[in-house]
Amino acid sequence: MTDAPSYGFDTLQIHAGAKPDPATGARQTPIYQTTAYVFRDAEHAAALFNLQEVGFIYSRLTNPTVAVLQERLATLEGGVGAVCCSSGHAAQIMALFPLMGPGCNVVASTRLYGGTVTQFSQTIKRFGWSAKFVDTDDLDAVKAAIDENTRAVFCESIANPGGYVTDIRALADITDGAGIPLIVDNTSATPYLCNPIAQGATLVVHSTTKYLTGNGTVTGGCVIDSGKFDWSANDKFSSLSAPEPAYHGLKFHETFGPLAYTFHGIAIGLRDLGMTMNPQAAHYTLMGVETLSLRMQRHCENARKVADWLENDDRIDYVTYAGLPSSPYYERAQACYPKGTGGLFTFAVKGGYEACVKLVDSLEIFSHVANLGDTRSLIIHSASTTHRQLTPEQQEAAGAGPNVVRVSIGIEDADDLIRDLDQALAKACG
Ligand SMILES: *Cc1c(COP(=O)(O)O)cnc(C)c1O
């Protein structure tokens, strides 16, 4: 099919990027389990290597199964191109790689996935990059943090885990003014609940491990480009605007226009960093994306029911879910995320650390795992697991105090989830 913008989300999540297999007519996208592709002749090979012709060379760079997923995610996010990679964390490095260099920094929200905080505050220093963390609700602080070496602002749309939702439009106004890209991690919201590009974002990153695949089978990531940023407006983005020595002085932006960032991601990023998604993973994720809207509707509906029930239970101190009218982010969520605020939230148990540990051990349907965005309901007590190494003050600041658990509400029967929480809380707080 042609991916006409008139098709609705439910149609595109099944069809975008996919045609019946030209070799066999296979209706489902085949898993092209191959490392390399035969060149038509020596001239064809030379044209491919010179980036004069687009085609398949070697699966570290491109693979037909992965290409279908790339086109589907680009379409769902309203971008011009996408590069899939081996994990969400790989996608974050791939997203920053064309923009950054030694001495450059990214201004990042303080409300990020814990692994991203570690990657940004520690590991990227090895590349000579750095991150400046700011509260993205404080727009003056965001503006003040941007300096001449800042190459991007990075945030999450719905920030895991504290029931926080970002005003992407407000941040995009700032990055537009500063002439730098806005990168939005849209993992927790998915393109069904939020379209960062429509709200002004330049780039979108995903951990496809989560809701896009949807059933906890494979890790993966994706970087999607809006195609709207002018990389040649100043000399900050020389990887994209200046001659590239590895391709005989080719200038990506001049040569590929709006696809410059995507081509750079493949021809330099995947070629040299090698954080490639394999075709099996792309297959599982394509299967997941086909039902994304249906699952997200149920995740939101169930999360709202369970959060409501918990908020009214006297064993619970508080619930942080932007879909509850008690949330300080409720109004913003209604305006910016009208289809719902996802399936993730935290709640505080009156019995503290001991009660939380007993709660996770007593649940029967919920699984105690370090993951989210599964069809199954998941729970984790951060203070005794992912945030164990932090001081009590750091745990509180991260919304992971000793009395707090995080849930990722699945698509089971909401009544069963509530019954399970009820019986486990009886044991935990008994
Ligand atoms: C899981 C996650 C990541 C990291 O993704 P991996 O696939 O685990 O590498 C990044 N951002 C968010 C919001 C996540 O939930």
Side-chain angles (χ1 to χ4, degrees), residues 200-264:
T202 314
L203 303 165
V204 175
V205 295
H206 276 285
S207 167
T208 61
T209 314
K210 313 292 171 51
Y211 289 109
L212 292 178
T213 302
N215 39 33
T217 46
V218 288
T219 62
C222 189
V223 186
I224 298 131
D225 179 24
S226 63
K228 290 180 184 158
F229 196 86
D230 182 359
W231 306 109
S232 307
N234 52 47
D235 58 5
K236 286 183 177 168
F237 303 102
S238 57
S239 297
L240 295 157
S241 61
E244 169 57 47
Y247 286 105
H248 314 300
L250 170 145
K251 295 178 184 171
F252 275 89
H253 192 207
E254 188 181 283
T255 309
F256 300 112
L259 280 167
Y261 182 91
T262 301
F263 271 71
H264 189 279

Side-chain angles (χ1 to χ4, degrees), residues 3-340:
D3 303 331
S6 55
Y7 287 121
F9 190 96
D10 291 356
T11 305
L12 294 171
Q13 73 184 356
I14 295 169
H15 292 286
K19 300 176 198 69
D21 180 45
T24 63
R27 178 57 274 201
Q28 189 50 275
T29 299
I31 303 170
Y32 282 92
Q33 197 66 63
T34 183
T35 308
Y37 309 84
V38 178
F39 305 121
R40 287 196 304 273
D41 51 34
E43 201 183 324
H44 175 223
L48 290 174
F49 274 93
N50 275 341
L51 299 182
Q52 287 157 339
E53 191 177 327
V54 177
F56 298 103
I57 299 175
Y58 186 66
S59 282
R60 172 157 32 81
L61 306 170
T62 49
N63 170 282
T65 312
V66 178
V68 172
L69 179 61
Q70 287 171 164
E71 193 172 333
R72 187 160 310 165
L73 294 180
T75 304
L76 294 179
E77 287 286 6
V80 295
V83 180
C84 282
C85 24
S86 51
S87 70
H89 270 5
Q92 292 168 190
I93 296 296
M94 287 281 292
L96 290 173
F97 181 65
L99 315 178
M100 304 281 275
C104 295
N105 68 70
V106 53
V107 169
S109 168
T110 46
R111 297 182 186 85
L112 295 178
Y113 176 74
T116 306
V117 174
T118 309
Q119 186 187 55
F120 282 10
S121 61
Q122 307 295 334
T123 305
I124 65 170
K125 286 189 201 158
R126 304 293 182 97
F127 305 140
W129 310 348
S130 62
K132 296 184 182 184
F133 291 95
V134 293
D135 176 353
T136 43
D137 275 346
D138 185 347
L139 299 178
D140 290 331
V142 176
K143 273 186 219 156
I146 295 171
D147 62 30
E148 72 275 18
N149 294 321
T150 303
R151 293 294 177 272
V153 170
F154 188 101
C155 68
E156 291 178 14
S157 45
I158 297 180
N160 161 31
Y164 175 83
V165 294
T166 302
D167 185 346
I168 295 171
R169 182 79 260 167
L171 291 180
D173 287 343
I174 294 175
T175 52
D176 283 352
I180 55 172
L182 174 64
I183 308 176
V184 178
D185 180 340
N186 201 28
T187 299
S188 303
T190 80
Y192 180 69
L193 298 179
C194 174
N195 272 123
I197 289 173
Q199 296 180 47
T202 314
L203 303 165
V204 175
V205 295
H206 276 285
S207 167
T208 61
T209 314
K210 313 292 171 51
Y211 289 109
L212 292 178
T213 302
N215 39 33
T217 46
V218 288
T219 62
C222 189
V223 186
I224 298 131
D225 179 24
S226 63
K228 290 180 184 158
F229 196 86
D230 182 359
W231 306 109
S232 307
N234 52 47
D235 58 5
K236 286 183 177 168
F237 303 102
S238 57
S239 297
L240 295 157
S241 61
E244 169 57 47
Y247 286 105
H248 314 300
L250 170 145
K251 295 178 184 171
F252 275 89
H253 192 207
E254 188 181 283
T255 309
F256 300 112
L259 280 167
Y261 182 91
T262 301
F263 271 71
H264 189 279
I266 295 166
I268 308 278
L270 289 182
R271 187 196 64 183
D272 295 345
L273 301 178
M275 301 166 168
T276 309
M277 178 181 277
N278 67 73
Q280 286 279 346
H283 165 75
Y284 283 112
T285 305
L286 280 166
M287 293 302 95
V289 170
E290 290 189 357
T291 58
L292 180 64
S293 63
L294 304 175
R295 287 184 290 106
M296 291 316 291
Q297 285 160 18
R298 180 65 84 87
H299 281 296
C300 292
E301 203 180 294
N302 279 2
R304 176 66 203 263
K305 282 186 193 160
V306 175
D308 255 338
W309 180 82
L310 285 166
E311 191 171 47
N312 291 305
D313 189 281
D314 46 5
R315 294 163 293 192
I316 303 302
D317 243 341
Y318 59 84
V319 181
T320 60
Y321 183 55
L324 289 176
S326 60
S327 163
Y329 295 105
Y330 182 73
E331 301 295 325
R332 184 185 291 174
Q334 297 294 301
C336 303
Y337 302 82
K339 286 194 236 166

